[in-house]
Amino acid sequence: MNGKDKTAFVLGATADIGIGLCERLLADEWTVIGAGRDATRIAALDSHPAFRFIACDLSSRESTAGAVGEFAALKSSWSLFVSSAGTMEPIGRFFDLDFDAWERSVTVNATAQLRVLHGLWPFRADAPHIMFMAGGGTNNPFTNYSAYC
């Protein structure tokens, strides 16, 4: 990608993988818009001139809409969308779990991430790249399951 197209939107930027992605992209001279719940976890990145934080709680439609609106206000485009967001809760056998808790987890781990991408789509650069990271692994059977898996 050429220099003008190197803007990444990292969803889940305040968790371990997201923080690492932001640091790596910044080291590779990307402009990074990091979105997540807890800005204090990435306070060290706030001083980087190519980094901007946008608050986004995937469990809240209002928060996801607000994050999309805040990006729109930047009058920018993105060429890379990475989602490393997710929650492991609840963990257990599906029929032993509270269904509302399971549904909230599916929202955070799937549909809310897609909602953000859908909202950001009009602001994409030509030929954008999109990556969703999934957890739980698929090589071994699980004793217990979560919606993250």
Side-chain angles (χ1 to χ4, degrees):
M1 295 185 174
N2 65 40
K4 72 180 182 81
D5 292 335
K6 290 180 67 169
T7 297
F9 186 93
V10 178
L11 188 59
T14 59
D16 295 333
I17 293 171
I19 293 168
L21 285 169
C22 290
E23 291 171 343
R24 176 57 191 252
L25 290 165
L26 289 167
D28 288 344
E29 299 182 357
W30 283 73
T31 297
V32 177
I33 314 311
R37 288 179 296 179
D38 185 1
T40 62
R41 296 209 57 212
I42 54 171
L45 297 178
D46 278 340
S47 62
H48 196 290
F51 180 79
R52 178 174 178 108
F53 176 74
I54 294 178
C56 184
D57 180 349
L58 291 172
S59 67
S60 164
R61 278 189 181 204
E62 294 79 14
S63 182
T64 56
V68 169
E70 192 169 336
F71 184 87
L74 295 175
K75 307 269 190 240
S76 183
S77 62
W78 57 270
S79 52
L80 174 64
F81 176 96
V82 179
S83 182
S84 62
T87 180
M88 295 280 291
E89 301 297 327
I91 296 174
R93 297 180 185 278
F94 175 73
F95 290 106
D96 295 338
L97 296 171
D98 173 70
F99 189 82
D100 290 336
W102 180 269
E103 184 177 38
R104 282 189 298 277
S105 182
V106 170
T107 297
V108 168
N109 291 316
T111 56
Q113 294 176 46
L114 292 171
R115 180 180 302 283
V116 173
L117 176 59
H118 187 270
L120 292 177
W121 189 248
F123 309 105
R124 71 195 180 281
D126 291 336
H129 292 46
I130 300 166
M131 179 174 35
F132 287 88
M133 302 179 107
T138 57
N139 295 329
N140 297 308
F142 296 100
T143 303
N144 290 305
Y145 301 89
S146 77
Y148 192 59
C149 302

PDB file of all heavy atoms in Angstrom, residues 22-46:
ATOM      1  N   CYS A  22      -1.764  -2.337  17.132  1.00  0.00           N
ATOM      2  CA  CYS A  22      -1.585  -0.884  17.017  1.00  0.00           C
ATOM      3  C   CYS A  22      -0.107  -0.516  17.060  1.00  0.00           C
ATOM      4  O   CYS A  22       0.365   0.276  16.235  1.00  0.00           O
ATOM      5  CB  CYS A  22      -2.343  -0.166  18.129  1.00  0.00           C
ATOM      6  SG  CYS A  22      -4.138  -0.220  17.969  1.00  0.00           S
ATOM      7  N   GLU A  23       0.618  -1.103  18.007  1.00  0.00           N
ATOM      8  CA  GLU A  23       2.051  -0.807  18.118  1.00  0.00           C
ATOM      9  C   GLU A  23       2.794  -1.200  16.841  1.00  0.00           C
ATOM     10  O   GLU A  23       3.642  -0.443  16.355  1.00  0.00           O
ATOM     11  CB  GLU A  23       2.638  -1.538  19.329  1.00  0.00           C
ATOM     12  CG  GLU A  23       2.153  -0.986  20.650  1.00  0.00           C
ATOM     13  CD  GLU A  23       2.539  -1.833  21.851  1.00  0.00           C
ATOM     14  OE1 GLU A  23       2.905  -3.026  21.683  1.00  0.00           O
ATOM     15  OE2 GLU A  23       2.460  -1.290  22.969  1.00  0.00           O
ATOM     16  N   ARG A  24       2.483  -2.364  16.311  1.00  0.00           N
ATOM     17  CA  ARG A  24       3.159  -2.834  15.090  1.00  0.00           C
ATOM     18  C   ARG A  24       2.843  -1.943  13.897  1.00  0.00           C
ATOM     19  O   ARG A  24       3.718  -1.570  13.118  1.00  0.00           O
ATOM     20  CB  ARG A  24       2.757  -4.280  14.807  1.00  0.00           C
ATOM     21  CG  ARG A  24       3.315  -4.842  13.522  1.00  0.00           C
ATOM     22  CD  ARG A  24       4.850  -4.734  13.536  1.00  0.00           C
ATOM     23  NE  ARG A  24       5.400  -5.023  12.233  1.00  0.00           N
ATOM     24  CZ  ARG A  24       6.053  -6.114  11.927  1.00  0.00           C
ATOM     25  NH1 ARG A  24       6.243  -7.049  12.839  1.00  0.00           N
ATOM     26  NH2 ARG A  24       6.514  -6.292  10.718  1.00  0.00           N
ATOM     27  N   LEU A  25       1.562  -1.612  13.730  1.00  0.00           N
ATOM     28  CA  LEU A  25       1.168  -0.753  12.611  1.00  0.00           C
ATOM     29  C   LEU A  25       1.810   0.628  12.716  1.00  0.00           C
ATOM     30  O   LEU A  25       2.283   1.172  11.712  1.00  0.00           O
ATOM     31  CB  LEU A  25      -0.360  -0.649  12.537  1.00  0.00           C
ATOM     32  CG  LEU A  25      -1.072  -1.926  12.094  1.00  0.00           C
ATOM     33  CD1 LEU A  25      -2.563  -1.840  12.413  1.00  0.00           C
ATOM     34  CD2 LEU A  25      -0.840  -2.192  10.612  1.00  0.00           C
ATOM     35  N   LEU A  26       1.847   1.186  13.911  1.00  0.00           N
ATOM     36  CA  LEU A  26       2.495   2.484  14.099  1.00  0.00           C
ATOM     37  C   LEU A  26       3.984   2.399  13.780  1.00  0.00           C
ATOM     38  O   LEU A  26       4.537   3.307  13.158  1.00  0.00           O
ATOM     39  CB  LEU A  26       2.267   2.995  15.527  1.00  0.00           C
ATOM     40  CG  LEU A  26       0.838   3.430  15.832  1.00  0.00           C
ATOM     41  CD1 LEU A  26       0.640   3.603  17.338  1.00  0.00           C
ATOM     42  CD2 LEU A  26       0.462   4.706  15.089  1.00  0.00           C
ATOM     43  N   ALA A  27       4.625   1.314  14.188  1.00  0.00           N
ATOM     44  CA  ALA A  27       6.056   1.126  13.878  1.00  0.00           C
ATOM     45  C   ALA A  27       6.282   1.024  12.376  1.00  0.00           C
ATOM     46  O   ALA A  27       7.347   1.413  11.879  1.00  0.00           O
ATOM     47  CB  ALA A  27       6.586  -0.121  14.588  1.00  0.00           C
ATOM     48  N   ASP A  28       5.276   0.519  11.662  1.00  0.00           N
ATOM     49  CA  ASP A  28       5.362   0.409  10.205  1.00  0.00           C
ATOM     50  C   ASP A  28       4.814   1.646   9.494  1.00  0.00           C
ATOM     51  O   ASP A  28       4.486   1.595   8.307  1.00  0.00           O
ATOM     52  CB  ASP A  28       4.619  -0.846   9.730  1.00  0.00           C
ATOM     53  CG  ASP A  28       5.356  -2.120  10.074  1.00  0.00           C
ATOM     54  OD1 ASP A  28       6.557  -2.064  10.405  1.00  0.00           O
ATOM     55  OD2 ASP A  28       4.721  -3.197  10.029  1.00  0.00           O
ATOM     56  N   GLU A  29       4.688   2.741  10.237  1.00  0.00           N
ATOM     57  CA  GLU A  29       4.303   4.060   9.724  1.00  0.00           C
ATOM     58  C   GLU A  29       2.874   4.138   9.199  1.00  0.00           C
ATOM     59  O   GLU A  29       2.583   4.848   8.240  1.00  0.00           O
ATOM     60  CB  GLU A  29       5.315   4.534   8.683  1.00  0.00           C
ATOM     61  CG  GLU A  29       6.704   4.678   9.266  1.00  0.00           C
ATOM     62  CD  GLU A  29       7.734   5.195   8.278  1.00  0.00           C
ATOM     63  OE1 GLU A  29       7.400   5.399   7.093  1.00  0.00           O
ATOM     64  OE2 GLU A  29       8.881   5.392   8.712  1.00  0.00           O
ATOM     65  N   TRP A  30       1.970   3.409   9.835  1.00  0.00           N
ATOM     66  CA  TRP A  30       0.547   3.529   9.540  1.00  0.00           C
ATOM     67  C   TRP A  30      -0.046   4.616  10.421  1.00  0.00           C
ATOM     68  O   TRP A  30       0.435   4.888  11.519  1.00  0.00           O
ATOM     69  CB  TRP A  30      -0.172   2.220   9.859  1.00  0.00           C
ATOM     70  CG  TRP A  30       0.021   1.136   8.853  1.00  0.00           C
ATOM     71  CD1 TRP A  30       1.152   0.396   8.643  1.00  0.00           C
ATOM     72  CD2 TRP A  30      -0.953   0.655   7.949  1.00  0.00           C
ATOM     73  NE1 TRP A  30       0.937  -0.507   7.644  1.00  0.00           N
ATOM     74  CE2 TRP A  30      -0.355  -0.381   7.207  1.00  0.00           C
ATOM     75  CE3 TRP A  30      -2.282   0.985   7.683  1.00  0.00           C
ATOM     76  CZ2 TRP A  30      -1.029  -1.090   6.224  1.00  0.00           C
ATOM     77  CZ3 TRP A  30      -2.954   0.277   6.709  1.00  0.00           C
ATOM     78  CH2 TRP A  30      -2.331  -0.740   5.986  1.00  0.00           C
ATOM     79  N   THR A  31      -1.116   5.216   9.958  1.00  0.00           N
ATOM     80  CA  THR A  31      -1.987   6.004  10.814  1.00  0.00           C
ATOM     81  C   THR A  31      -2.975   5.002  11.400  1.00  0.00           C
ATOM     82  O   THR A  31      -3.528   4.175  10.667  1.00  0.00           O
ATOM     83  CB  THR A  31      -2.745   7.069   9.998  1.00  0.00           C
ATOM     84  OG1 THR A  31      -1.787   7.974   9.451  1.00  0.00           O
ATOM     85  CG2 THR A  31      -3.749   7.819  10.853  1.00  0.00           C
ATOM     86  N   VAL A  32      -3.175   5.034  12.710  1.00  0.00           N
ATOM     87  CA  VAL A  32      -4.006   4.027  13.374  1.00  0.00           C
ATOM     88  C   VAL A  32      -5.122   4.702  14.151  1.00  0.00           C
ATOM     89  O   VAL A  32      -4.882   5.587  14.974  1.00  0.00           O
ATOM     90  CB  VAL A  32      -3.177   3.140  14.318  1.00  0.00           C
ATOM     91  CG1 VAL A  32      -4.072   2.149  15.068  1.00  0.00           C
ATOM     92  CG2 VAL A  32      -2.081   2.410  13.552  1.00  0.00           C
ATOM     93  N   ILE A  33      -6.343   4.280  13.863  1.00  0.00           N
ATOM     94  CA  ILE A  33      -7.513   4.657  14.651  1.00  0.00           C
ATOM     95  C   ILE A  33      -7.828   3.426  15.487  1.00  0.00           C
ATOM     96  O   ILE A  33      -8.229   2.392  14.953  1.00  0.00           O
ATOM     97  CB  ILE A  33      -8.735   5.008  13.765  1.00  0.00           C
ATOM     98  CG1 ILE A  33      -8.391   5.939  12.603  1.00  0.00           C
ATOM     99  CG2 ILE A  33      -9.865   5.526  14.623  1.00  0.00           C
ATOM    100  CD1 ILE A  33      -7.600   7.149  12.886  1.00  0.00           C
ATOM    101  N   GLY A  34      -7.613   3.510  16.776  1.00  0.00           N
ATOM    102  CA  GLY A  34      -7.856   2.380  17.668  1.00  0.00           C
ATOM    103  C   GLY A  34      -9.167   2.564  18.399  1.00  0.00           C
ATOM    104  O   GLY A  34      -9.405   3.605  19.001  1.00  0.00           O
ATOM    105  N   ALA A  35     -10.019   1.563  18.351  1.00  0.00           N
ATOM    106  CA  ALA A  35     -11.324   1.625  19.012  1.00  0.00           C
ATOM    107  C   ALA A  35     -11.418   0.527  20.059  1.00  0.00           C
ATOM    108  O   ALA A  35     -11.039  -0.619  19.807  1.00  0.00           O
ATOM    109  CB  ALA A  35     -12.444   1.475  17.990  1.00  0.00           C
ATOM    110  N   GLY A  36     -11.924   0.880  21.213  1.00  0.00           N
ATOM    111  CA  GLY A  36     -12.074  -0.096  22.289  1.00  0.00           C
ATOM    112  C   GLY A  36     -12.769   0.509  23.482  1.00  0.00           C
ATOM    113  O   GLY A  36     -13.197   1.668  23.457  1.00  0.00           O
ATOM    114  N   ARG A  37     -12.873  -0.282  24.538  1.00  0.00           N
ATOM    115  CA  ARG A  37     -13.617   0.149  25.729  1.00  0.00           C
ATOM    116  C   ARG A  37     -12.793   0.933  26.729  1.00  0.00           C
ATOM    117  O   ARG A  37     -13.293   1.844  27.354  1.00  0.00           O
ATOM    118  CB  ARG A  37     -14.205  -1.072  26.443  1.00  0.00           C
ATOM    119  CG  ARG A  37     -15.345  -1.707  25.718  1.00  0.00           C
ATOM    120  CD  ARG A  37     -15.845  -2.899  26.480  1.00  0.00           C
ATOM    121  NE  ARG A  37     -14.762  -3.892  26.510  1.00  0.00           N
ATOM    122  CZ  ARG A  37     -14.829  -5.055  27.106  1.00  0.00           C
ATOM    123  NH1 ARG A  37     -15.896  -5.390  27.762  1.00  0.00           N
ATOM    124  NH2 ARG A  37     -13.825  -5.892  27.068  1.00  0.00           N
ATOM    125  N   ASP A  38     -11.542   0.571  26.929  1.00  0.00           N
ATOM    126  CA  ASP A  38     -10.777   1.093  28.062  1.00  0.00           C
ATOM    127  C   ASP A  38      -9.553   1.867  27.588  1.00  0.00           C
ATOM    128  O   ASP A  38      -8.476   1.296  27.391  1.00  0.00           O
ATOM    129  CB  ASP A  38     -10.366  -0.070  28.969  1.00  0.00           C
ATOM    130  CG  ASP A  38      -9.672   0.374  30.239  1.00  0.00           C
ATOM    131  OD1 ASP A  38      -9.516   1.601  30.461  1.00  0.00           O
ATOM    132  OD2 ASP A  38      -9.275  -0.509  31.020  1.00  0.00           O
ATOM    133  N   ALA A  39      -9.702   3.161  27.433  1.00  0.00           N
ATOM    134  CA  ALA A  39      -8.622   4.009  26.924  1.00  0.00           C
ATOM    135  C   ALA A  39      -7.389   3.982  27.820  1.00  0.00           C
ATOM    136  O   ALA A  39      -6.274   4.199  27.339  1.00  0.00           O
ATOM    137  CB  ALA A  39      -9.112   5.437  26.753  1.00  0.00           C
ATOM    138  N   THR A  40      -7.563   3.692  29.096  1.00  0.00           N
ATOM    139  CA  THR A  40      -6.403   3.689  29.995  1.00  0.00           C
ATOM    140  C   THR A  40      -5.416   2.588  29.632  1.00  0.00           C
ATOM    141  O   THR A  40      -4.229   2.714  29.923  1.00  0.00           O
ATOM    142  CB  THR A  40      -6.825   3.523  31.466  1.00  0.00           C
ATOM    143  OG1 THR A  40      -7.488   2.259  31.635  1.00  0.00           O
ATOM    144  CG2 THR A  40      -7.759   4.652  31.889  1.00  0.00           C
ATOM    145  N   ARG A  41      -5.884   1.539  28.965  1.00  0.00           N
ATOM    146  CA  ARG A  41      -4.995   0.433  28.596  1.00  0.00           C
ATOM    147  C   ARG A  41      -4.032   0.812  27.468  1.00  0.00           C
ATOM    148  O   ARG A  41      -3.035   0.132  27.260  1.00  0.00           O
ATOM    149  CB  ARG A  41      -5.809  -0.786  28.181  1.00  0.00           C
ATOM    150  CG  ARG A  41      -6.639  -1.307  29.345  1.00  0.00           C
ATOM    151  CD  ARG A  41      -6.919  -2.761  29.319  1.00  0.00           C
ATOM    152  NE  ARG A  41      -5.702  -3.561  29.279  1.00  0.00           N
ATOM    153  CZ  ARG A  41      -5.642  -4.731  28.651  1.00  0.00           C
ATOM    154  NH1 ARG A  41      -6.686  -5.212  28.025  1.00  0.00           N
ATOM    155  NH2 ARG A  41      -4.529  -5.429  28.650  1.00  0.00           N
ATOM    156  N   ILE A  42      -4.345   1.864  26.728  1.00  0.00           N
ATOM    157  CA  ILE A  42      -3.469   2.258  25.626  1.00  0.00           C
ATOM    158  C   ILE A  42      -2.990   3.702  25.772  1.00  0.00           C
ATOM    159  O   ILE A  42      -2.648   4.354  24.802  1.00  0.00           O
ATOM    160  CB  ILE A  42      -4.161   2.062  24.260  1.00  0.00           C
ATOM    161  CG1 ILE A  42      -5.502   2.769  24.216  1.00  0.00           C
ATOM    162  CG2 ILE A  42      -4.291   0.598  23.919  1.00  0.00           C
ATOM    163  CD1 ILE A  42      -6.113   2.792  22.846  1.00  0.00           C
ATOM    164  N   ALA A  43      -2.928   4.160  27.009  1.00  0.00           N
ATOM    165  CA  ALA A  43      -2.507   5.536  27.275  1.00  0.00           C
ATOM    166  C   ALA A  43      -1.137   5.838  26.682  1.00  0.00           C
ATOM    167  O   ALA A  43      -0.879   6.957  26.233  1.00  0.00           O
ATOM    168  CB  ALA A  43      -2.514   5.811  28.776  1.00  0.00           C
ATOM    169  N   ALA A  44      -0.259   4.847  26.630  1.00  0.00           N
ATOM    170  CA  ALA A  44       1.087   5.067  26.078  1.00  0.00           C
ATOM    171  C   ALA A  44       1.044   5.422  24.599  1.00  0.00           C
ATOM    172  O   ALA A  44       1.949   6.087  24.093  1.00  0.00           O
ATOM    173  CB  ALA A  44       1.940   3.819  26.292  1.00  0.00           C
ATOM    174  N   LEU A  45       0.008   4.999  23.897  1.00  0.00           N
ATOM    175  CA  LEU A  45      -0.089   5.297  22.464  1.00  0.00           C
ATOM    176  C   LEU A  45      -0.651   6.691  22.190  1.00  0.00           C
ATOM    177  O   LEU A  45      -0.501   7.210  21.083  1.00  0.00           O
ATOM    178  CB  LEU A  45      -0.963   4.256  21.760  1.00  0.00           C
ATOM    179  CG  LEU A  45      -0.455   2.817  21.789  1.00  0.00           C
ATOM    180  CD1 LEU A  45      -1.451   1.900  21.098  1.00  0.00           C
ATOM    181  CD2 LEU A  45       0.911   2.718  21.145  1.00  0.00           C
ATOM    182  N   ASP A  46      -1.320   7.274  23.161  1.00  0.00           N
ATOM    183  CA  ASP A  46      -1.962   8.581  22.956  1.00  0.00           C
ATOM    184  C   ASP A  46      -0.989   9.667  22.519  1.00  0.00           C
ATOM    185  O   ASP A  46      -1.369  10.597  21.818  1.00  0.00           O
ATOM    186  CB  ASP A  46      -2.686   9.036  24.228  1.00  0.00           C
ATOM    187  CG  ASP A  46      -4.055   8.390  24.359  1.00  0.00           C
ATOM    188  OD1 ASP A  46      -4.592   7.915  23.337  1.00  0.00           O
ATOM    189  OD2 ASP A  46      -4.582   8.362  25.477  1.00  0.00           O
TER     190      ASP A  46
END
